[in-house]
Amino acid sequence: MPITADAREMQADLARFRHDLHREPEIGLTLPRTQEKVLKALDGLPYEITLGRDTTSVTAVLRGQASGAGAADRPAVLLRADMDGLPVQEKTGADYTSRIDGAMHACGHDLHTSMLAGAATLLAERRHQLAGDVVLMFQPGEEGFDGASHMIREGVLDAAGRRVDAAYGMHVFSALEPHGTFCTKPGVMLSSSDGLMVTVLGAGGHGSAPHSAKDPVTVAAEMVTALQVMVTRQFNMFDPVVLSVGVLQAGTKRNIIPETARIEATVRTFSEESRQKMMDAVPRLLKGIAAAHGLEVDVDYQQEYPLTITDEDETHTAETVIAELFGESRLSRWATPLSGSEDFSRVLAEVPGTFIGLSAVPRDADHAASAFNHSPYATFDDGVLADGAALYAELAVSRLAALAAAPAPGAATAAAASALS
């Protein structure tokens, strides 16, 4: 049967698995119940399984059985799914709503995990067709915990015995595109993400006598505004920077000038040049403002996730597979990057690969008005699960076949030298 047909036979099972994951979201690097569910889904399949030492990650390797390359030089492909949820109180009203207070799969990672678990079965059934090995990367801690770095340090990219030749990740969206649309972009696809933590250090006093204190609140307010002005005046509008303040804290009572004020912001950039420039410009600006008012400031600028940069050839490969499986009408190539960030960028910085978006907007919903990922109202449609599983599996099958058929590096030069001798 075609891989899409086999996947659709699994649709009901994939939806049940996804609902089980959705009811029990876990946050961070330690996801014991999620890991247990993944291991149960892989039970009985011919995978070599390794569990994370520092996290509850799962790495599963399937050895292809197609004749061809020897064990030492056989190609390998990696497929990744993140598994963690978010500290969000769900308000979707779904009958499989999260049972964990204050936690929700608001970014669709339950769908990613379900699709990769489905692909695990599809690939095991096609083991004899695989001209190489497949590494499945079930990753915790994508949401701000840098789980990909943990798995890379523990060897996921070399789990097959050699460095994987290509890597593919997928991410669902609850808005942006019509239901079932696959989204690609070669080059910079997602922004980098950095954290800005600022503490303005003043001197407390009575609200009736601000001249006898050093008010950090007004200085912090000026800093928030100045950061936005700086972005519009020091950075090229065609190489955008997004800075959003999410935390502004100070004080305990309206007539007390507090000792300190706290600012926390997220910074998104779309080039390494702008990222480095922000790291220099932000502390300079904030220290200047503090000094102008006779205060001090502590600025902690933390680099988090780098740019997600997809390989042009691997993106073209994915687009070809999508068109062959589902038709050109299901494919959308983005003209501009998305300002979200991903730690799959860590993988793509190490090996060629690509990242694919998939719209899980409910069929009857307006994708332009739907609640986006991370919202307590974000709703993801089970209907994309089978297609996502099929795409994961077919990417591995077809890419391994192409890699196995390609001449080994230097083979053409060696052949020419032999012919001349």
Side-chain angles (χ1 to χ4, degrees):
M1 291 177 66
I3 204 163
T4 51
D6 274 355
R8 285 165 188 155
E9 289 287 324
M10 302 166 57
Q11 172 63 31
D13 291 336
L14 294 178
R16 279 192 291 271
F17 183 54
R18 184 249 165 154
H19 294 177
D20 285 344
L21 292 169
H22 193 90
R23 290 186 187 100
E24 289 192 286
E26 296 175 291
I27 298 168
L29 297 168
T30 305
L31 321 175
R33 294 186 298 274
T34 304
Q35 184 188 60
E36 181 182 358
K37 292 178 175 70
V38 169
L39 292 174
K40 185 176 180 181
L42 297 176
D43 188 38
L45 299 177
Y47 284 85
E48 301 168 12
I49 294 177
T50 304
L51 304 184
R53 296 186 298 274
D54 297 331
T55 75
T56 52
S57 65
V58 178
T59 300
V61 179
L62 180 65
R63 304 292 180 184
Q65 295 181 329
S67 59
D73 56 359
R74 59 192 292 118
V77 166
L78 179 143
L79 306 174
R80 178 269 204 165
D82 41 7
M83 305 186 293
D84 55 320
L86 283 160
V88 173
Q89 186 66 46
E90 183 163 2
K91 298 179 181 178
T92 63
D95 58 7
Y96 49 89
T97 290
S98 169
R99 296 172 179 167
I100 309 301
D101 189 46
M104 176 189 175
H105 270 296
C107 203
H109 296 187
D110 50 335
L111 283 83
H112 306 164
T113 304
S114 302
M115 293 187 297
L116 191 56
T121 296
L122 294 171
L123 289 166
E125 293 171 347
R126 289 162 174 77
R127 192 180 183 189
H128 63 285
Q129 299 176 19
L130 294 177
D133 302 327
V134 182
V135 178
L136 305 185
M137 178 181 177
F138 290 95
Q139 180 209 310
E142 188 278 329
E143 296 288 356
F145 294 87
D146 209 357
S149 284
H150 288 268
M151 293 193 72
I152 290 171
R153 282 195 298 271
E154 293 186 355
V156 67
L157 301 182
D158 303 292
R162 60 184 296 274
R163 181 59 54 106
V164 295
D165 298 278
Y168 302 102
M170 208 179 317
H171 205 301
V172 295
F173 301 112
S174 60
L176 297 181
E177 299 278 356
H179 172 91
T181 302
F182 291 94
C183 313
T184 61
K185 186 185 180 303
V188 176
M189 185 176 188
L190 300 172
S191 69
S192 64
S193 173
D194 295 324
L196 174 62
M197 274 62 70
V198 179
T199 303
V200 184
L201 306 169
H206 199 289
S208 66
H211 60 283
S212 64
K214 292 184 178 180
D215 189 351
V217 176
T218 53
V219 174
E222 183 176 333
M223 287 176 175
V224 171
T225 303
L227 285 168
Q228 303 301 328
V229 173
M230 182 195 72
V231 165
T232 67
R233 290 298 176 265
Q234 297 187 32
F235 289 84
N236 189 333
M237 68 180 73
F238 298 107
D239 184 10
V241 173
V242 178
L243 187 151
S244 296
V245 173
V247 174
L248 184 57
Q249 294 175 336
T252 57
K253 192 173 175 62
R254 61 185 172 82
N255 65 342
I256 300 174
I257 293 174
E259 291 277 332
T260 63
R262 179 80 172 168
I263 301 167
E264 295 184 13
T266 184
V267 183
R268 310 297 171 124
T269 51
F270 296 88
S271 71
E272 194 58 35
E273 291 77 15
S274 285
R275 191 182 198 193
Q276 293 301 320
K277 185 177 178 180
M278 281 293 286
M279 290 183 66
D280 295 333
V282 167
R284 182 176 66 243
L285 173 70
L286 300 185
K287 289 177 181 178
I289 293 172
H293 292 279
L295 276 68
E296 295 183 358
V297 64
D298 178 61
V299 181
D300 183 13
Y301 196 110
Q302 299 179 356
Q303 283 197 323
E304 295 171 344
Y305 294 165
L307 294 160
T308 299
I309 303 175
T310 67
D311 180 83
E312 186 167 353
D313 291 338
E314 295 297 346
T315 301
H316 177 69
T317 294
E319 290 171 340
T320 300
V321 172
I322 291 166
E324 290 175 349
L325 289 180
F326 310 109
E328 292 276 359
S329 64
R330 294 276 300 276
L331 178 61
S332 173
R333 177 180 271 212
W334 287 346
T336 58
L338 193 67
S339 55
S341 304
E342 249 286 347
D343 69 353
F344 190 62
S345 56
R346 306 285 192 196
V347 174
L348 295 182
E350 297 287 336
V351 297
T354 197
F355 199 51
I356 303 157
L358 172 57
S359 175
V361 175
R363 291 180 185 274
D364 58 352
D366 178 0
H367 64 275
S370 297
F372 191 53
N373 297 33
H374 288 218
S375 166
Y377 300 98
T379 302
F380 302 88
D381 194 331
D382 291 332
V384 303
L385 291 171
D387 287 352
L391 178 58
Y392 267 134
E394 184 57 32
L395 283 169
V397 172
S398 60
R399 192 69 184 101
L400 287 173
L403 287 164
T413 302
S418 176
L420 291 172
S421 62

